[in-house]
Amino acid sequence: MVIEKKGKSQISDIDSGKIFNNGGGGGAGGHNYSYALPINPAKFGLWLFIGAIIMFFSALTSAYIVRHS
Protein backbone atom coordinates (compact mmCIF):
# COMPACT_ATOMS: atom_id res chain seq x y z
CA MET A 1 0.00 0.00 0.00
CA VAL A 2 1.42 3.36 -1.03
CA ILE A 3 0.65 6.50 0.95
CA GLU A 4 1.94 9.85 -0.23
CA LYS A 5 1.50 13.03 1.81
CA LYS A 6 0.20 16.12 0.02
CA GLY A 7 1.71 19.44 1.12
CA LYS A 8 0.05 21.09 4.11
CA SER A 9 -3.34 19.36 3.79
CA GLN A 10 -1.93 15.98 4.90
CA ILE A 11 -4.43 14.13 2.68
CA SER A 12 -3.13 10.80 1.46
CA ASP A 13 -3.68 9.47 -2.04
CA ILE A 14 -5.54 6.53 -0.51
CA ASP A 15 -8.24 8.87 0.83
CA SER A 16 -8.68 10.66 -2.49
CA GLY A 17 -10.34 7.68 -4.24
CA LYS A 18 -7.61 7.10 -6.84
CA ILE A 19 -6.57 3.72 -8.23
CA PHE A 20 -3.13 2.41 -7.27
CA ASN A 21 -0.96 -0.43 -8.40
CA ASN A 22 -0.37 -2.48 -5.25
CA GLY A 23 2.76 -4.13 -6.67
CA GLY A 24 1.35 -7.65 -6.46
CA GLY A 25 1.62 -10.33 -9.11
CA GLY A 26 -2.05 -10.38 -9.98
CA GLY A 27 -2.13 -14.09 -10.77
CA ALA A 28 -4.22 -15.42 -13.64
CA GLY A 29 -6.69 -12.54 -13.52
CA GLY A 30 -4.05 -9.88 -13.94
CA HIS A 31 -5.86 -7.34 -11.76
CA ASN A 32 -3.13 -5.33 -10.06
CA TYR A 33 -5.25 -2.45 -8.77
CA SER A 34 -6.66 -1.72 -5.33
CA TYR A 35 -9.54 0.72 -5.01
CA ALA A 36 -9.76 3.18 -2.11
CA LEU A 37 -13.20 3.17 -0.50
CA PRO A 38 -14.86 6.58 -0.19
CA ILE A 39 -16.36 5.62 3.21
CA ASN A 40 -15.04 3.75 6.21
CA PRO A 41 -16.21 0.10 5.97
CA ALA A 42 -17.15 0.03 9.68
CA LYS A 43 -19.33 3.13 9.26
CA PHE A 44 -20.96 1.68 6.15
CA GLY A 45 -21.69 -1.58 8.01
CA LEU A 46 -23.23 0.35 10.89
CA TRP A 47 -25.52 2.33 8.58
CA LEU A 48 -26.47 -0.86 6.74
CA PHE A 49 -27.35 -2.53 10.05
CA ILE A 50 -29.41 0.47 11.21
CA GLY A 51 -31.28 0.48 7.89
CA ALA A 52 -32.02 -3.24 8.21
CA ILE A 53 -33.34 -2.78 11.75
CA ILE A 54 -35.59 0.10 10.64
CA MET A 55 -36.97 -1.98 7.77
CA PHE A 56 -37.55 -4.96 10.08
CA PHE A 57 -39.53 -2.96 12.64
CA SER A 58 -41.44 -1.16 9.88
CA ALA A 59 -42.51 -4.54 8.50
CA LEU A 60 -43.57 -5.72 11.97
CA THR A 61 -45.53 -2.51 12.57
CA SER A 62 -47.30 -2.67 9.21
CA ALA A 63 -48.15 -6.35 9.72
CA TYR A 64 -49.58 -5.52 13.14
CA ILE A 65 -51.71 -2.68 11.71
CA VAL A 66 -53.01 -4.82 8.85
CA ARG A 67 -53.76 -7.76 11.17
CA HIS A 68 -55.79 -5.65 13.61
CA SER A 69 -57.80 -3.71 11.04
Side-chain angles (χ1 to χ4, degrees):
M1 176 164 47
V2 176
I3 298 175
E4 296 177 9
K5 299 286 182 170
K6 298 277 188 189
K8 294 180 182 178
S9 66
Q10 299 297 319
I11 298 174
S12 67
D13 285 341
I14 300 298
D15 294 332
S16 66
K18 295 181 181 177
I19 301 172
F20 295 97
N21 185 349
N22 63 7
H31 299 289
N32 291 334
Y33 298 105
S34 62
Y35 295 92
L37 297 175
I39 188 170
N40 184 1
K43 188 181 284 189
F44 177 73
L46 179 65
W47 281 110
L48 192 64
F49 178 72
I50 290 172
I53 293 296
I54 289 171
M55 290 176 61
F56 177 71
F57 282 108
S58 298
L60 286 179
T61 303
S62 65
Y64 177 78
I65 291 171
V66 168
R67 184 82 169 143
H68 282 284
S69 63

